Amino acid sequence: MNVGVIGAGRIGGNCARQLVRAGHDVLVSASRDPDALRATADGLGARAGTAAEAVAFGEVVIFAVPWTAVERALEEAGPLYGKVVVDTTNQFGRGGWEDLGPRTAAQVNAARMAGARYTKSFNTLTAAFQAEAATRQGAERVVQWLCGDDDGAKELVSGLIAEMGYVPVDMGGTATCQVMEAPRRPGAVYGEEYRAQDADAVLEAVRARRPVPPPPQY
């Protein structure tokens, strides 16, 4: 599968690396020195290009830019109509964590990405931890939480997550995914390691609108 990655930093770079390792063709883009981008792409085993080229290239497009750079990245990317998008961002603005009121960060970005088949994942764990965890096997595999309102898009992205070395767990829609969003706090899965055997208890709590159990200790 062809995957475009917008943002060649730590999260985007790790996603690109794991996708290439799984046998996918990847094009990375970033708003910086083209020579540096080409060197990054070469190190990942990927191609380099612009954000618009990443969108044109990818059957799936991963957004891995800082929250404050989302608008500019979207302008550079152009129309996303019909594209399966994976949003990895967290709502950390110039003054700290942004208060989005009753909306989730996923709802905010889904509205920004008009026409896209929006999903959110890869946002709850640090890039370094994700890179280390991608090589784990069996019961030690780590959960990557996933949300979105397009079941077909989530099914496709779940397959990619599994191929990249993680366990995909569907948290539900963009309106009910607060527990997978920043910041790290009691009652949220953000910033915490989970494995498949502990995911069901989280999902049951979210669906019943009960507090999420304390994170497991491995």
Side-chain angles (χ1 to χ4, degrees):
M1 182 180 295
N2 290 351
V3 182
V5 181
I6 298 177
R10 294 176 181 176
I11 294 292
N14 179 64
C15 285
R17 183 177 295 105
Q18 307 312 330
L19 285 162
V20 169
R21 184 173 60 86
H24 297 284
D25 291 324
V26 179
L27 188 152
V28 296
S29 67
S31 297
R32 63 181 189 183
D33 182 351
D35 291 335
L37 177 62
R38 281 192 290 273
T40 297
D42 289 345
L44 296 170
R47 312 180 194 191
T50 65
E53 288 169 338
V55 171
F57 175 83
E59 299 162 71
V60 174
V61 179
I62 296 175
F63 266 82
V65 300
W67 181 261
T68 54
V70 170
E71 289 290 353
R72 185 175 74 174
L74 289 171
E75 290 175 4
E76 294 174 352
L80 292 167
Y81 185 81
K83 294 288 183 176
V84 173
V85 168
V86 185
D87 174 21
T88 74
T89 64
N90 289 303
Q91 69 278 21
F92 189 78
R94 293 180 178 86
W97 297 113
E98 289 196 13
D99 181 0
L100 303 176
R103 297 180 299 170
T104 66
Q107 285 178 303
V108 171
N109 274 355
R112 287 166 154 175
M113 301 178 187
R117 302 178 64 191
Y118 177 92
T119 70
K120 181 171 184 172
S121 191
F122 297 101
N123 70 297
T124 66
L125 299 167
T126 67
F129 183 82
Q130 291 186 52
E132 180 273 320
T135 60
R136 296 186 187 179
Q137 300 296 320
E140 292 189 350
R141 280 195 164 198
V142 168
V143 166
Q144 290 284 8
W145 304 98
L146 169 72
C147 75
D149 301 320
D150 183 317
D151 289 341
K154 287 193 290 186
E155 182 178 1
L156 189 155
V157 173
S158 291
L160 289 178
I161 290 170
E163 290 176 1
M164 293 163 72
Y166 312 103
V167 178
V169 177
D170 185 354
M171 185 67 80
T174 58
T176 58
C177 66
Q178 292 93 337
V179 300
M180 65 176 279
E181 294 195 332
R184 190 175 188 179
R185 62 203 185 276
V189 301
Y190 178 85
E192 306 291 350
E193 176 184 352
Y194 282 84
R195 300 178 190 173
Q197 65 266 28
D198 298 301
D200 284 346
V202 172
L203 296 180
E204 289 172 7
V206 170
R207 290 165 184 163
R209 299 185 179 181
R210 298 194 310 266
V212 171
Q217 300 297 315
Y218 300 111

